[in-house]
Amino acid sequence: MALQNVLDEAVSAKDAPFLVGMTANAQGVTWSGAAGEAAPGRPAATDTVFRIFSMTKAVGSTAAMILIDRGELDFDTPVEEVLPEFADMRVLDGWDGDTPVLRAPKSKATARHLATHTSGLEYEFWNAGPGQYMEKTGAVSILSGLKASMFYPMMTDPGTRWGYGPSIDWLGLMVEKISGKRIDAFLKENLFEPLGMSDTDVEVRDHMAPRLAGVKARGEDGQFGDFELAPPSDPEVYGMGHALYSTPEDYMKFLRMFLNRGALNGHRVLSEQGVARMLENHMGPLTFEKMVTVAPPVTADFDPFPGTTKTHSFGFMRNEADIPGMRRAGSQSWAGVLNSHYWFDPTSDLAAVIMTQSLPFVEPRWMKTYEAFERSAYAT
């Protein structure tokens, strides 16, 4: 089948170290396949456990949407109303030698700003400012798992620009504060157990460990080598930007819930109206902006479907135009830094994942494979 050929050819050409792919509609999984070894001697499979990194973000945003659906949170609730410590956040306005020049933001960041990456908070991989700030001040990375790592400054005023960063970590803290439950407990009760996602967790549990994939990074010689990268275990904060492990099978249940307008297998986690509101464009006049790397070993530039308008819903990047032979307007998508990717297309009743564990993120060889997989998914 064409989809399997895409996976086989990509692994054979060393465009990816291994691959798992899956497609589905509202009724169920329509195709699944794998190629290569997820770990030495262990073939990749649909129940392989992945570090899904930023695929976590949509899950964290859905947790917040569950509270919005219940009337316990609003899209435009200021973050500092729920988390008073957020009022201490400042905007980096320049440098006086090695001393950062900080000022108060001109607008208050809201839950909507966090969910759409318009809060002003950005990662050091796509904006030099945070890395410079960390280098000169000794501030720690978000992957430290320390709450202190969440307080490095905004790069822009909230609501003025798309800028990809740790916003969803703060959104997760809002969920914790409002619900009175740690985020992993909230997710288990309100999302994972209802959807049957027994292999999705903030830690690699005993039943998951034998199926955990290895990570590879492409070296200067163009070959893949072993690489250690994982979310911090037992952190102060389980960051909803990066903290989850999952499998293609489990994540597809999450995506199919959206195709089913908030329910799966008789278990409803969001109202139909809640799903419709969540998947709307929440950026107003702003749009997704090309992400230009400042760390090429970690990530290439990211500009999906260049020349077409992309916005952001409350949980996902959103395409605003049909892509010929591929996803339709209104499709939702995102990915994890180790090249675990997904999209779902409500108009076409199609959801898909194509996942590996490799760096750099979205290198051209990977994007060629992703496009071939997507075109095959729509051609079948």
Side-chain angles (χ1 to χ4, degrees):
M1 189 176 180
L3 286 164
Q4 185 63 48
N5 290 343
V6 172
L7 305 189
D8 291 341
E9 289 170 10
V11 172
S12 176
K14 295 184 168 54
D15 293 333
F18 72 91
L19 283 168
V20 180
M22 184 178 281
T23 63
N25 58 27
Q27 279 65 52
V29 172
T30 52
W31 181 85
S32 64
E37 292 189 340
R42 184 148 33 86
T46 56
D47 67 350
T48 294
V49 175
F50 289 74
R51 304 152 193 80
I52 65 168
F53 280 102
S54 288
M55 287 171 74
T56 304
K57 289 179 167 69
V59 176
S61 297
T62 301
M65 191 66 219
I66 288 170
L67 295 182
I68 292 171
D69 222 6
R70 293 175 183 168
E72 298 176 37
L73 174 66
D74 188 80
F75 293 122
D76 296 313
T77 299
V79 183
E80 65 186 55
E81 278 189 14
V82 178
L83 302 168
E85 64 269 33
F86 195 84
D88 296 335
M89 298 293 274
R90 294 293 180 264
V91 177
L92 181 62
D93 219 20
W95 293 89
D96 182 4
D98 286 344
T99 304
V101 177
L102 303 171
R103 63 167 174 80
K106 296 174 183 175
S107 50
K108 290 185 187 296
T110 64
R112 194 193 307 262
H113 292 139
L114 295 178
T116 56
H117 299 286
T118 57
S119 70
L121 298 172
E122 300 193 35
Y123 287 133
E124 62 270 28
F125 311 112
W126 285 284
N127 187 313
Q132 192 176 15
Y133 179 83
M134 286 189 276
E135 185 182 322
K136 293 184 184 300
T137 66
V140 289
S141 163
I142 198 75
L143 282 181
S144 67
L146 300 173
K147 185 161 185 187
S149 70
M150 297 173 63
F151 285 89
Y152 60 62
M154 300 169 175
M155 297 296 108
T156 53
D157 289 296
T160 60
R161 183 169 80 82
W162 156 270
Y164 188 56
S167 293
I168 314 298
D169 296 29
W170 282 101
L171 194 60
L173 289 184
M174 293 179 80
V175 173
E176 288 190 339
K177 186 70 173 288
I178 291 167
S179 69
K181 295 177 180 172
R182 204 170 72 169
I183 192 65
D184 53 322
F186 182 91
L187 290 172
K188 188 173 183 181
E189 178 184 332
N190 294 281
L191 206 57
F192 300 157
E193 287 185 346
L195 297 182
M197 296 171 66
S198 57
D199 281 333
T200 304
D201 210 316
V202 292
E203 301 282 353
V204 182
R205 305 301 177 190
D206 289 347
H207 73 283
M208 299 159 63
R211 292 177 279 128
L212 181 65
V215 178
K216 302 286 187 182
R218 198 181 298 283
E220 292 181 5
D221 62 357
Q223 302 302 307
F224 282 121
D226 292 336
F227 192 81
E228 289 297 320
L229 183 66
S233 185
D234 194 26
E236 284 183 7
V237 175
Y238 281 114
M240 283 296 96
H242 58 262
L244 288 176
Y245 295 82
S246 189
T247 65
E249 287 177 1
D250 264 19
Y251 208 83
M252 186 57 84
K253 294 173 184 175
F254 175 65
L255 299 181
R256 285 184 54 227
M257 177 271 291
F258 287 100
L259 293 182
N260 282 285
R261 299 182 178 87
L264 190 72
N265 299 329
H267 298 276
R268 180 161 293 282
V269 297
L270 286 170
S271 69
E272 290 199 18
Q273 182 191 25
V275 170
R277 294 175 75 201
M278 183 174 178
L279 301 185
E280 292 170 353
N281 171 21
H282 281 268
M283 291 181 78
L286 301 177
T287 56
F288 171 93
E289 295 186 23
K290 179 180 179 179
M291 296 160 63
V292 179
T293 184
V294 294
V298 176
T299 178
D301 294 348
F302 188 45
D303 188 21
F305 312 111
T308 66
T309 300
K310 284 84 60 181
T311 60
H312 209 282
S313 66
F314 198 75
F316 311 91
M317 187 187 80
R318 178 186 151 98
N319 279 66
E320 295 297 341
D322 290 350
I323 308 299
M326 299 169 75
R327 67 191 69 176
R328 304 286 296 278
S331 292
Q332 316 269 326
S333 61
W334 204 237
V337 72
L338 293 178
N339 283 310
S340 55
H341 297 251
Y342 68 88
W343 82 92
F344 67 95
D345 178 347
T347 300
S348 303
D349 187 25
L350 173 66
V353 296
I354 178 169
M355 300 170 65
T356 192
Q357 300 276 263
S358 72
L359 292 173
F361 179 60
V362 296
E363 60 176 336
R365 294 168 71 164
W366 170 268
M367 295 305 287
K368 178 189 71 172
T369 298
Y370 189 0
E371 179 174 344
F373 184 80
E374 181 170 344
R375 288 192 180 279
S376 293
Y378 281 92
T380 53

